[in-house]
Amino acid sequence: MDVQAWLDGIPPVTVYLIVGLVVGVESVGIPLPGEIVLMTAALMSSQGNVNPWLVGACAIVGAVSGDSIGYSIGRRGGKPMLESLGRRFPRHFSPGHVATAERSFQRWGMWAVFFGRFVALLRIFAGPLAGVLKMPYAKFLTANALGGIVWAGGITAIIYYVGVVAEPWLKRFGYIGLGVAVLFGLGSMLYVKRRAARMTAELAKAAVEPEPEVAVAGE
């Protein structure tokens, strides 16, 4: 199958809807390849198939609205919701992943929402975990909007201009674009998985270690 011809045949409106929907659903807390879809659409825009401004705008709307929905769900569902997600998506919502995300929130506060937008697995935690931890919505929305704009707008702009400059070498655009996107997404995912595995080991060690005895006065 000719990948280039297949991509050229996708209606632009469909591309915009897919970008907004996938990025939005991922931001709600469902593991989807939002970054890969966005990068692929941005490369398509560099070939003139779609409008880069609309690609970026749809990604921003999906990111901000999805995170806000995730925040609302997390605020109402609390910790039991994270435990339920852990049973449903053990590879993404394991105790180690949750602990890694919680540590990020404790260290960075509202900016964990902003910076989390740029790391694959943390993107699915930002909204729900902010709600679970009862972060003030005004702070959350500020970091959420800024993160969505910088992440979606930045990726779209960078990939678009790289695609325009490298157009003579992108004869097999479909495979190259998807390859670059997959490698980038896997890199950030492996980083978070390593951090999560370390946190899981720490939690397991703490669970088996006996608590220190408390000396009683007078003994």
Side-chain angles (χ1 to χ4, degrees):
M1 183 179 68
D2 190 337
V3 176
Q4 179 68 58
W6 179 75
L7 291 173
D8 289 342
I10 301 177
V13 174
T14 301
V15 176
Y16 304 141
L17 290 175
I18 290 175
V19 169
L21 182 63
V22 173
V23 171
V25 172
E26 179 190 42
S27 300
V28 169
I30 305 299
L32 288 179
E35 193 165 66
I36 293 176
V37 169
L38 175 57
M39 294 178 74
T40 303
L43 275 171
M44 291 177 66
S45 72
S46 72
Q47 303 296 304
N49 296 357
V50 292
N51 187 311
W53 290 96
L54 290 178
V55 169
C58 289
I60 291 171
V61 171
V64 176
S65 60
D67 259 358
S68 295
I69 294 172
Y71 173 91
S72 178
I73 294 174
R75 193 173 182 89
R76 295 180 182 179
K79 287 283 188 179
M81 184 204 69
L82 291 180
E83 295 172 358
S84 175
L85 287 173
R87 291 189 295 270
R88 191 175 298 250
F89 304 106
R91 294 182 61 184
H92 298 87
F93 287 89
S94 68
H97 289 139
V98 174
T100 298
E102 286 183 333
R103 176 176 288 184
S104 298
F105 271 72
Q106 291 168 358
R107 182 175 182 181
W108 300 104
M110 63 179 282
W111 294 110
V113 176
F114 177 87
F115 291 114
R117 173 57 60 183
F118 298 87
V119 183
L121 289 179
L122 290 183
R123 274 196 301 277
I124 66 177
F125 280 107
L129 190 56
V132 170
L133 298 178
K134 301 295 191 295
M135 177 181 291
Y137 184 69
K139 290 184 176 181
F140 168 79
L141 182 60
T142 299
N144 177 26
L146 289 175
I149 292 171
V150 175
W151 175 76
I155 286 180
T156 302
I158 291 171
I159 299 301
Y160 170 79
Y161 285 112
V162 167
V164 170
V165 172
E167 184 175 2
W169 296 276
L170 294 182
K171 299 299 183 181
R172 301 188 66 80
F173 148 75
Y175 293 117
I176 293 176
L178 290 176
V180 171
V182 168
L183 288 175
F184 187 88
L186 286 177
S188 57
M189 184 179 297
L190 288 174
Y191 169 77
V192 177
K193 281 189 174 183
R194 182 176 298 178
R195 291 287 304 275
R198 187 181 307 167
M199 183 64 66
T200 300
E202 292 179 4
L203 289 174
K205 182 179 179 181
V208 299
E209 286 182 350
E211 296 184 0
E213 294 183 2
V214 178
V216 180
E219 289 187 355

